[in-house]
Amino acid sequence: MRKSEKKWKSVWASKQLNLFTRAHNAPQQQATGGTGEATAEVMDLLSRLTEQHALTEQLLEQIVDYKNLKGSYEQVRRNEGSAGIDGMTVKGLEAWLQEHLEAFRWEVINEQYEISPVKKVEIPKPNGGVRTLGIPTVKDRLLQQAIHQEMMGYYEPYFSENSYGFRPGRSAHDAVVQAAKYVSEGREWVVDIDLEKFFDKINHDRLMTRLSKGIGDKRLLRLINGFLKAGMLSDGMTEQRTAGTPQGGPLSPLLSNIVLDELDKELEKRGHKFCRYADDCNIYVHSQRAGERVMASVIEFIEKKLKLRVNREKSGVRHCGNVKFLGYTILPEGNLRVSDKSTEHLKGKIREICQRNRGVKFEQVIAELNAAITGWTNYFRLANKWLSTMHQIDSWMRHKLRCYRLKQCGRKYTIFKMLCNLGIPERKSWNVVMYSQGWWAMSNRQSVNKGMNNQWFAQMGLRSVHTEMTRLKR
């Protein structure tokens, strides 16, 4: 190594030592009771960052390596997704790459690649409001995925064991199981932290400063900064962004974990028991008073150090039975049930599929319901307190389907013939048709329930929420 290069690296390491000492020394002295352990921790971190910085000085070449780009393309193809502002689909990307791959690689390496604005898409949230997504073009998604794949190797091994979102080999179920373990140990009070529009509020300057400590390739840093600041196209107008990393791009999950890893490390240093999945973070303590102290100090850290905002209306110190974590509610002793909001979300989906004015075949309605039931029950298979609720959902869903099927018949005579074919005597069938007030009332008649009973729905192929949950628990 040349003397000038050694001197430069020594100066860089010295500056980073001063920076990290100022940022971490005071709270670490409080936690450890001295400076020795804190200094050792800082030096270990600096050593890793210095090594990583040196190893990543030419990282952009590795990102556009043929093998990495091939893996990136396969991942983008599996994810599918809609087209960005240029209209190019995932299917069209393959043909484009066959013709422009070399030019694409050259443009990226030589900083000539032009990042496109993202397409703004708003998706309704189950509890009201909308979630804003930014859909990049497939070319930008390809490049973001390639960056993600290379950067993960440097950051993933050092993320917290208490972080579960957007990480290989980890899932929401893992987070729920760990949270239930904390509650079963007696930590029944939850510090429930809600970050206000987290993905929209990430501070760009702070994130780029953090990335620059471990990434030596300045071209890559400028490229990432370009993705962060790419405009958002909506109704023909491009909105410029000065903060946030919009959900929808492959790079956003990794960047969000890099931002919140500081929170993880701070909570670990303080000895807290917590689980974080993306921006959903719960801290488990033994008492309400302890929770209130923890909440006050953690909010101060998040807002002053991380420059993020905490939604105080949604955040709070609550008993575990009143908290929803990743769709579950954790009961004392670590039992799990489906949260009320998650149950209402399933009912909302059933209601949407069974709208009587849809005009689709009954068999298609059954198929769509089965798909919704399968996905929902697979996710909530960890629940062990659910039986009566699932029975109620099944009964209500069959009622909706009877109503749909009767309206599908339309004419009174057609309904009469259908009921007769289901084994209902003619007189009772006529009574249903002639003396019912509305479709919902008709669907609730005893003869209709007898004709379209549980066995009939099973023959039609309808799955039962209760049965599916029972099967998954075996």
Side-chain angles (χ1 to χ4, degrees), residues 31 160 162-163 191 193 260-276 280-285 294-295 297-299 301-302 306:
S160 169
N162 299 285
S163 166
V191 180
I193 301 292
L260 290 178
D261 187 58
E262 283 190 81
L263 174 61
D264 297 339
K265 296 298 192 292
E266 180 69 17
L267 294 177
E268 287 176 347
K269 185 176 65 180
R270 297 182 185 187
H272 293 314
K273 304 298 182 181
F274 70 98
C275 291
R276 182 179 66 80
D280 197 349
C281 182
N282 282 354
I283 307 168
Y284 298 88
V285 296
V294 169
M295 184 172 183
S297 62
V298 170
I299 287 178
F301 176 83
I302 290 172
L306 302 186

Side-chain angles (χ1 to χ4, degrees), residues 87-217:
M88 182 184 291
T89 63
V90 174
K91 187 174 293 185
L93 179 63
E94 181 179 9
W96 184 87
L97 284 173
Q98 290 176 353
E99 185 176 350
H100 299 93
L101 178 58
E102 292 302 325
F104 172 74
R105 296 178 69 245
W106 184 89
E107 288 174 356
V108 173
I109 291 173
N110 291 280
E111 300 187 79
Q112 299 298 310
Y113 180 78
E114 293 187 8
I115 298 170
S116 301
V118 297
K119 182 170 68 175
K120 184 177 182 179
V121 176
E122 293 184 338
I123 298 177
K125 292 183 179 180
N127 56 347
V130 295
R131 175 178 286 107
T132 301
L133 302 183
I135 308 301
T137 64
V138 288
K139 291 184 286 186
D140 285 352
R141 296 210 293 269
L142 175 75
L143 184 52
Q144 285 193 35
Q145 180 64 37
I147 295 171
H148 179 275
Q149 290 171 178
E150 284 297 311
M151 286 180 58
M152 277 288 284
Y154 293 99
Y155 286 95
E156 169 63 26
Y158 302 100
F159 283 151
S160 169
E161 287 296 314
N162 299 285
S163 166
Y164 294 88
F166 312 126
R167 297 183 62 188
R170 288 171 166 251
S171 68
H173 283 174
D174 296 326
V176 171
V177 168
Q178 182 59 63
K181 181 180 178 182
Y182 289 146
V183 171
S184 69
E185 293 170 350
R187 297 179 177 87
E188 296 184 6
W189 288 90
V190 184
V191 180
D192 188 7
I193 301 292
D194 184 274
L195 298 179
E196 186 176 296
K197 296 182 178 179
F198 166 70
F199 285 92
D200 298 329
K201 300 292 185 182
I202 291 176
N203 186 289
H204 287 175
D205 292 338
R206 198 172 191 288
L207 172 58
M208 292 309 303
T209 299
R210 186 165 177 81
L211 289 175
S212 68
K213 294 170 185 174
I215 296 178
D217 195 328

Side-chain angles (χ1 to χ4, degrees), residues 213-233:
K213 294 170 185 174
I215 296 178
D217 195 328
K218 290 182 169 55
R219 297 167 303 167
L220 175 57
L221 293 172
R222 287 190 286 268
L223 182 61
I224 293 173
N225 193 47
F227 279 122
L228 289 174
K229 297 188 182 303
M232 182 175 287
L233 187 66

Side-chain angles (χ1 to χ4, degrees), residues 4 9 61 67 113 156 177 187 261 299 341 354 356 372 426 438 474:
S4 60
K9 288 187 178 296
E61 277 76 9
K67 184 177 180 180
Y113 180 78
E156 169 63 26
V177 168
R187 297 179 177 87
D261 187 58
I299 287 178
K341 286 186 177 180
C354 294
R356 298 195 295 272
E426 288 187 5
R474 291 173 183 168

